[in-house]
Amino acid sequence: MALPVILCGKTEDIGRGVVAGLKPEYDVIHFVMSPEAGAIQIPAILKGEKSPPSDSELGSKNYSQTPVAVILGGGYEDAGIEVMRKASKDIKPIPWLRPDKTKPAPPLGPEYGKAMVARVKDLLAQLKRDGKMDKEEVFWY
């Protein structure tokens, strides 16, 4: 069964490819489009709300299980991430995955999404192996 995750991205075009690429191992249950929205939506989902607010059609909307990770896209900066993390603090400890912009990546577009998916899957597998899926920390992919 696919593990549920939350994906934060600035555009649904790239998000759509990432959602598809994470399957079948991961089910993006919710797509967050801004830090302000994430500060409301992510805590609601972590608390187990079955119909949290949403500003995107992306995601399965299957809230029967709480997510195992929050995956952040490259459009999110420190301040916005901090707003979302503070709003979600101490609800359910899960890893927050953030792109390492020092690593080479294709320009924004479909290839960018594919490269990010590969890096996210590698990191999630490593966190599972290392027993860190319940750590409320930022991990870089």
Side-chain angles (χ1 to χ4, degrees):
M1 180 162 67
L3 296 175
V5 295
I6 295 171
L7 178 63
C8 301
K10 294 285 185 171
T11 72
E12 288 184 324
D13 285 343
I14 294 174
R16 198 168 285 108
V18 175
V19 168
L22 287 170
K23 292 177 182 175
E25 299 95 327
Y26 301 96
D27 173 26
V28 174
I29 61 171
H30 196 88
F31 186 72
V32 173
M33 295 191 65
S34 72
E36 298 77 22
I40 296 165
Q41 296 167 8
I42 295 170
I45 295 165
L46 294 178
K47 288 175 186 170
E49 291 184 20
K50 300 302 180 209
S51 52
S54 179
D55 50 2
S56 172
E57 291 302 310
L58 291 184
S60 69
K61 313 289 189 230
N62 178 0
Y63 302 108
S64 62
Q65 297 180 61
T66 53
V68 299
V70 176
I71 302 166
L72 301 155
Y76 285 76
E77 301 298 331
D78 293 343
I81 293 167
E82 196 53 35
V83 165
M84 294 188 295
R85 290 191 69 220
K86 274 187 181 166
S88 304
K89 189 168 174 43
D90 298 326
I91 298 171
K92 177 185 186 286
I94 60 173
W96 292 66
L97 280 57
R98 198 170 168 189
D100 182 347
K101 294 181 183 178
T102 65
K103 291 182 180 176
L108 284 181
E111 293 307 311
Y112 173 84
K114 288 178 189 171
M116 295 301 104
V117 163
R119 287 168 34 183
V120 164
K121 283 184 173 184
D122 288 347
L123 178 56
L124 284 169
Q126 178 186 337
L127 293 175
K128 276 195 260 185
R129 278 193 308 273
D130 297 346
K132 294 184 177 178
M133 292 299 285
D134 61 349
K135 301 288 184 200
E136 193 169 313
E137 296 176 31
V138 172
F139 295 92
W140 298 86
Y141 66 85

